[in-house]
Amino acid sequence: MTTRIGVISSGRGENTRYIIEACRSGYIPAEVAVVLADQEDAGALRIARSYGINASFIDPSGLSRLEYDALLAEQLDGEGVDLVVLTGYMRILSPEFVRRYKNRTINIHPALLPAFRGMDAFQQALDYGVKVTGTTVHLVDEEVDHGPIILQVPVEVRDDDTHERLKARVQEAEYRAYPEALKLFIEGRPKVVGRRVVFEGADGGGR
């Protein structure tokens, strides 16, 4: 049975594009059933519609976090979604939403967690002076940028890096990492062990 993915996004949607294409090619044994966004002009909505995928703007105006997440859940459940995938989603999910989709909500963060949680991880890496940063695909829990790690991909920080140069290279790593992590998660019989997701017959969650 094909896994049905529901994407929630706020931004440009390039990770959404790579996930859709990986599903359409058969690399990920899944289909993107619906794309939802809290921004009416989110690129993820335009990209999804270009592939003929149901895409909806859900207006958060005047709603509490709990009320808004209930609308998201109604849409996701209506589409029979098995796995929730966040791509540049800028709102914090309510504990109720996280519990509803426990171990079924996946996010990507542009750093090697637990380092550089929160906003602008690129600048955090530059300010701290690290030689390596990267990207982390992880399950969502009730803390921000915290859940069990599925996959991490390192990216070198170069001496002449600017914010934009580093961001561009980390994003390129994201475009490879997210489809790979979703394929691994769907095919690999995942099990949460502490702060990592491990897979039957694999060492779990890294390269």
Side-chain angles (χ1 to χ4, degrees):
M1 184 175 178
T2 300
T3 298
R4 291 176 65 79
I5 292 173
V7 172
I8 309 177
S9 186
S10 297
R12 297 181 310 121
E14 286 306 305
N15 273 313
T16 303
R17 183 192 305 279
Y18 281 88
I19 291 166
I20 292 170
E21 290 183 350
C23 290
R24 294 286 175 94
S25 73
Y27 178 74
I28 302 174
E31 62 177 319
V32 177
V34 64
V35 175
L36 307 175
D38 65 335
Q39 303 292 322
E40 192 167 13
D41 61 350
L45 296 178
R46 174 182 49 78
I47 288 168
R49 290 167 184 151
S50 75
Y51 286 92
I53 294 169
N54 182 20
S56 298
F57 162 59
I58 310 296
D59 190 352
S61 301
L63 299 177
S64 69
R65 185 160 37 135
L66 184 60
E67 290 169 334
Y68 187 74
D69 285 359
L71 291 181
L72 293 178
E74 181 180 349
Q75 293 282 328
L76 295 168
D77 291 350
E79 292 288 346
V81 164
D82 304 300
L83 192 63
V84 180
V85 173
L86 310 181
T87 64
Y89 187 55
M90 301 307 293
R91 294 171 62 91
I92 297 174
L93 293 167
S94 64
E96 290 81 3
F97 187 98
V98 173
R99 287 194 293 268
R100 185 184 188 116
Y101 300 100
K102 182 178 175 60
N103 295 336
R104 294 194 294 138
T105 304
I106 296 177
N107 185 45
I108 192 164
H109 182 72
L112 296 177
L113 293 175
F116 310 134
R117 295 166 61 186
M119 299 296 291
D120 203 348
F122 314 109
Q123 193 61 49
Q124 289 188 61
L126 291 170
D127 290 345
Y128 200 82
V130 296
K131 297 301 183 183
V132 178
T133 185
T135 186
T136 302
V137 183
H138 65 97
L139 286 172
V140 174
D141 64 11
E142 293 181 21
E143 295 186 50
V144 174
D145 300 329
H146 178 267
I149 293 167
I150 299 169
L151 180 73
Q152 293 186 304
V153 176
V155 174
E156 178 190 6
V157 182
R158 299 171 183 167
D159 291 341
D160 62 348
D161 263 335
T162 63
H163 181 281
E164 290 307 308
R165 287 175 186 164
L166 180 59
K167 180 178 178 179
R169 291 205 314 285
V170 172
Q171 287 178 336
E172 285 296 322
E174 286 185 347
Y175 303 151
R176 301 189 307 272
Y178 221 161
E180 181 179 344
L182 292 175
K183 178 182 177 66
L184 184 62
F185 189 82
I186 291 167
E187 293 182 338
R189 301 181 187 177
K191 180 180 179 181
V192 175
V193 178
R195 291 292 312 281
R196 300 193 76 84
V197 179
V198 298
F199 302 90
E200 187 173 296
D203 58 7
R207 281 190 164 190

